[in-house]
């Protein structure tokens, strides 16, 4: 968060209203986060943004000129955008071309998200494995797998942004899970009836570093890299907006051409 503000040439102190939103948003994201290490992707927030905004008491109703009302939660969306720019969360967005609207987004907490709470890699890894052991001891492993399958089916039926076509993001999430858990932990949590759940030695595997320290994130070099990544993302979004505007103008001109031809043939 500090590096993000430095990269945008902003003061390091966050405004009071933004801090208040974050103080209720971060616990809510953790509450709805999937901590099962057996899931395909770690730390998915299993809730839509509107429900999260309601739980944060940040949703309100507005009316347009035609008298139609809609639920708005701009403060939560802005906070999510800030967390995404700081590379603390990963947001999957998708546009429905047939319905001409944006699909509900999916949110994944990055491993660096837990660095804010002073949680080390070892502690986070132990939390995930202990949760899986707890599920096994209480005969809930099969129930966890079934719930995850129902969750994926529910996302597909409700038209939520799908990850199948986003190959780079899909591979990135798989890599994050592999780097944090390691090969033998992934193999362990994939078992429906693990036989070595008591004597599993987590630290016997070789893990890749997932966390960056506070000092590493705030170096001049890291701030410059983050600034460049934000600039590249903004250029991609700007190109998408320009393409959408050009498509609208093209369709409008094509429609006018058709109308002119029809009038010519009619006369």
């Amino acid at each position: 968060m500090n590096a993000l503000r430095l990269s945008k040439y902003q003061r390091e102190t966050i405004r009071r209203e933004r801090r208040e939103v974050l103080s209720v948003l971060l616990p809510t994201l953790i509450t709805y986060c999937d901590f099962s290490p057996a899931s395909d992707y770690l730390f998915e927030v299993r809730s839509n943004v509107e429900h999260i905004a309601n739980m944060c008491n940040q949703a309100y109703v507005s009316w347009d000129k035609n008298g139609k009302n809609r639920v708005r939660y701009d403060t939560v969306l802005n906070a999510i955008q800030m967390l995404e720019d700081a590379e603390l969360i990963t947001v999957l967005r998708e546009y429905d071309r047939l319905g001409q609207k944006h699909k509900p987004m999916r949110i994944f907490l990055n491993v660096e998200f837990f660095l804010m709470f002073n949680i080390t890699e070892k502690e986070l890894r132990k939390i995930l494995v202990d949760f899986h052991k707890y599920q096994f001891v209480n005969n809930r492993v099969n129930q966890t797998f079934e719930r995850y399958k129902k969750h994926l089916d529910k996302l597909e039926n409700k038209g939520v942004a799908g990850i199948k076509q986003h190959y780079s993001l899909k591979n990135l999430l798989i890599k994050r899970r592999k780097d944090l858990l390691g090969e033998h932990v992934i193999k362990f949590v994939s078992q429906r009836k693990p036989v070595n759940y008591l004597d599993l030695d987590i630290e016997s595997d070789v893990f890749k570093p997932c966390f960056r320290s506070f000092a590493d994130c705030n170096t001049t070099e890291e701030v410059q890299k983050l600034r460049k990544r934000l600039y590249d993302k903004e250029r991609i979004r700007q190109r998408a907006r320009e393409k959408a505007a050009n498509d609208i103008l093209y369709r409008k001109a094509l429609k006018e051409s058709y109308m002119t031809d029809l009038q010519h043939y009619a006369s």
Side-chain angles (χ1 to χ4, degrees):
M1 299 286 286
N2 191 67
L4 173 66
R5 301 191 68 80
L6 291 175
S7 65
K8 291 186 175 182
Y9 303 102
Q10 299 173 343
R11 62 178 184 178
E12 298 184 30
T13 304
I14 303 177
R15 291 182 177 180
R16 177 182 176 183
E17 58 270 17
R18 184 59 60 85
R19 293 200 307 269
E20 292 175 352
V21 174
L22 290 173
S23 65
V24 294
L25 176 61
L26 297 182
T28 306
L29 293 177
I30 295 176
T31 301
Y32 290 97
C33 180
D34 178 18
F35 282 93
S36 174
S39 300
D40 295 336
Y41 316 109
L42 289 179
F43 311 127
E44 180 179 1
V45 180
R46 294 192 184 182
S47 179
N48 57 54
V49 181
E50 182 177 345
H51 181 71
I52 292 175
N54 286 323
M55 297 302 296
C56 296
N57 199 22
Q58 293 292 320
Y60 60 95
V61 180
S62 64
W63 284 265
D64 57 13
K65 298 180 180 179
N66 298 324
K68 295 183 180 180
N69 60 343
R70 56 173 296 190
V71 180
R72 301 184 64 91
Y73 32 86
D74 298 332
T75 55
V76 173
L77 291 176
N78 293 334
I80 289 177
Q81 182 64 54
M82 184 174 65
L83 293 174
E84 183 184 11
D85 291 341
E87 299 179 348
L88 297 174
I89 65 174
T90 300
V91 181
L92 173 60
R93 298 181 177 88
E94 189 175 355
Y95 184 75
D96 185 7
R97 296 184 179 275
L98 295 177
Q100 297 294 315
K101 63 179 182 180
H102 292 278
K103 294 183 179 180
M105 65 180 69
R106 294 175 66 179
I107 301 175
F108 302 88
L109 305 184
N110 295 350
V111 181
E112 289 82 6
F113 179 90
F114 301 92
L115 177 63
M116 295 188 296
F117 307 101
N118 200 25
I119 300 176
T120 64
E121 289 184 46
K122 184 177 180 180
E123 292 173 343
L124 181 60
R125 193 178 298 119
K126 188 175 185 303
I127 290 173
L128 295 175
V129 176
D130 287 346
F131 175 76
H132 187 76
K133 290 181 179 180
Y134 171 81
Q135 297 289 88
F136 171 70
V137 172
N138 292 272
N139 297 322
R140 296 180 180 178
V141 174
N142 290 332
Q143 185 179 4
T144 301
F145 281 96
E146 292 174 359
R147 284 184 176 179
Y148 185 69
K149 186 177 181 303
K150 290 181 180 179
H151 168 68
L152 297 179
D153 295 339
K154 184 177 179 181
L155 292 179
E156 186 175 355
N157 293 332
K158 288 197 171 184
V160 181
I163 199 173
K164 293 181 179 180
Q165 302 299 327
H166 300 269
Y167 301 106
S168 59
L169 177 58
K170 181 178 180 180
N171 294 332
L172 177 62
L173 295 176
I174 293 176
K175 182 179 181 299
R176 288 176 181 173
R177 178 172 179 259
K178 183 178 179 181
D179 292 345
L180 178 63
L181 297 180
E183 292 286 350
H184 84 299
V185 176
I186 292 178
K187 184 178 180 180
F188 166 76
V189 298
S190 63
Q191 305 176 54
R192 295 297 182 100
K193 295 181 180 180
V195 294
N196 58 338
Y197 74 97
L198 291 177
D199 56 351
L200 176 67
D201 184 13
I202 301 176
E203 298 304 325
S204 63
D205 198 2
V206 178
F207 300 99
K208 296 181 180 180
C210 298
F211 281 169
R212 291 175 295 175
S213 65
F214 181 83
D216 294 337
C217 291
N218 288 272
T219 60
T220 305
E221 183 180 0
E222 285 296 325
V223 171
Q224 291 292 342
K225 290 181 180 179
L226 178 59
R227 183 177 295 137
K228 184 179 183 303
R229 290 195 293 269
L230 292 174
Y231 177 72
D232 293 340
K233 291 178 182 178
E234 182 59 30
R235 287 184 60 188
I236 293 174
R237 286 194 290 264
Q238 181 63 28
R239 289 176 182 175
R241 288 192 291 265
E242 292 177 355
K243 183 179 182 302
N246 292 334
D247 291 341
I248 292 175
L249 293 176
Y250 173 75
R251 288 194 296 267
K252 183 178 179 181
L254 193 63
K255 182 178 179 180
E256 292 178 353
S257 175
Y258 287 155
M259 295 299 296
T260 303
D261 293 341
L262 289 175
Q263 292 176 358
H264 175 72
Y265 291 138
S267 60

